[in-house]
Amino acid sequence: MNERLAGVLYGAGWGAVKRLPEPAARALGRRVADRSWRRRGQGVRRLEANLARVVPQAGPAELRALSRAGMRSYLRYWMESFRLPVWSKERIRDSFAGEDMHRLTDGLDSGRGVVLALPHMGNWDLAGAWAVTALGTPLTTVVERLKPDSVFQRFIAHRESLGLEVLPHTGGASFGKLARRLRQGGLVALVADRDLSASGVEVSFFGETARMPAGPAMLAQQTGALLLPVSLWYDETPVMKGHVHPPVPVPDSGTRAERTAVMTQSVADRFAAGIAAHPQDWHMLQRLWLRDLEPRRAALDGGGTV
């Protein structure tokens, strides 16, 4: 029943927000963000705990202000994403401005394929729609399977309506398709700051150990594609900003696992630089660091609750 209700609510949100005048949609997003922030639920508390690692010098008042800005950024992402299917191509092209975009365009022009690795920053759906629209290149991505299935199918349909090819997160089958797209000189974009499998790579992230997906590094090694981390953020304008970081090279020596570990650490370092510069636009409302995950695992193993 709860899953069916969630499906109905998501569907209503998608439909209603698209029909609202834009100023009303922005105001609604801010009201929802502020209400969620004041209620101080589990997601907001987790966001503050994560931000405390990013901005360790921040006191309680600064962290609260940062988490409020973070919730507003997060709801801006949702409001924009709900409305993206009705935006014109011109609106999509004009809603993103990137730094060092030549790294992406040169990589595509070389024909070797490009893997974009992104953290949960800004609006990655808008970034994907911009790439398809402004660059005129197909883009393939992978999404986490959500419950209920009606919500998952709506996410698939939403991203496909933006021109993206969407694959479910199903391990080897998705990896094979991504590799084929890259060998054809294609563009693959992966949100890669939180591991969704048992094969993640341990990295040092803001001074503590976290686990991030091995996929971007493995794809680059297997296909010869260029691996480019990307940061996204908002400012006070309607135009989202972004930065394409320098490419992550494949090490000349070491086993495949050792090369993957070195490359994934490099991705994590570039993510950390982007997040530190714009912490309010990092939408990480889940547990990430191993120190936070281990007590939960221990409680579940022992039959307790967290």
Side-chain angles (χ1 to χ4, degrees):
M1 178 64 72
N2 288 339
E3 289 187 3
R4 288 201 299 271
L5 178 59
V8 170
L9 291 175
Y10 270 106
W14 249 297
V17 172
K18 281 194 295 187
R19 291 192 294 268
L20 284 175
E22 188 148 333
R26 287 198 300 268
L28 174 63
R30 181 160 289 205
R31 284 199 301 271
V32 172
D34 288 349
R35 183 175 301 174
S36 299
W37 177 78
R38 285 193 296 269
R39 289 177 62 183
R40 198 164 172 74
Q42 181 177 346
V44 173
R45 296 196 307 274
R46 175 50 49 194
L47 176 63
E48 284 187 13
N50 291 339
L51 289 171
R53 266 81 169 227
V54 176
V55 191
Q57 72 277 10
E62 186 178 349
L63 276 178
R64 285 290 284 152
L66 193 57
S67 69
R68 183 179 191 181
M71 291 303 295
R72 288 182 172 183
S73 174
Y74 185 46
L75 264 294
R76 177 173 170 176
Y77 157 73
W78 278 109
M79 293 297 108
E80 286 182 349
S81 292
F82 284 149
R83 296 174 64 83
L84 270 175
V86 299
W87 283 11
S88 68
K89 290 183 178 180
E90 291 75 20
R91 172 71 186 276
I92 291 173
R93 283 196 296 265
D94 293 342
S95 293
F96 174 71
E99 302 169 355
D100 293 320
M101 297 302 295
H102 66 90
R103 292 171 176 151
L104 169 57
T105 55
D106 290 350
L108 291 172
D109 289 344
S110 73
R112 63 185 291 194
V114 174
V115 181
L116 298 178
L118 303 92
H120 286 79
M121 287 187 79
N123 188 335
W124 45 96
D125 286 338
L126 173 56
W130 178 88
V132 171
T133 303
L135 302 181
T137 185
L139 184 149
T140 304
T141 190
V142 173
V143 296
E144 177 182 0
R145 186 171 289 278
L146 304 172
K147 291 185 178 182
D149 189 64
S150 61
V151 172
F152 177 68
Q153 295 302 329
R154 192 176 287 272
F155 268 100
I156 294 283
H158 163 67
R159 285 169 175 159
E160 287 178 342
S161 75
L162 302 175
L164 282 61
E165 179 186 24
V166 182
L167 306 177
H169 186 272
T170 53
S174 296
F175 187 92
K177 289 184 180 179
L178 295 173
R180 286 195 293 273
R181 299 295 181 268
L182 291 168
R183 290 192 183 100
Q184 295 163 356
L187 177 61
V188 166
L190 300 172
V191 180
D193 56 346
R194 186 165 68 95
D195 180 50
L196 297 175
S197 71
S199 60
V201 177
E202 290 191 5
V203 297
S204 176
F205 194 54
F206 291 102
E208 292 190 41
T209 303
R211 188 177 290 117
M212 293 188 180
M218 292 175 65
L219 283 166
Q221 290 179 70
Q222 185 162 316
T223 67
L226 194 67
L227 174 54
L228 295 174
V230 177
S231 301
L232 303 171
W233 67 92
Y234 293 122
D235 55 19
E236 297 304 316
T237 74
V239 179
M240 183 176 71
K241 304 304 190 296
H243 177 223
V244 179
H245 294 270
V248 174
V250 177
D252 295 329
S253 62
T255 66
R256 184 179 184 185
E258 289 168 344
R259 293 195 301 268
T260 299
V262 170
M263 294 174 71
T264 305
Q265 182 63 62
S266 294
V267 171
D269 292 343
R270 287 160 171 77
F271 283 174
I275 292 166
H278 307 281
Q280 72 279 0
D281 293 307
W282 187 42
H283 308 150
M284 186 54 65
L285 280 70
Q286 298 84 20
R287 297 170 188 262
L288 178 70
W289 281 272
L290 297 192
R291 192 173 73 173
D292 295 333
L293 293 169
E294 286 165 357
R296 180 183 181 121
R297 263 197 213 102
L300 292 174
D301 291 344
T305 57
V306 173

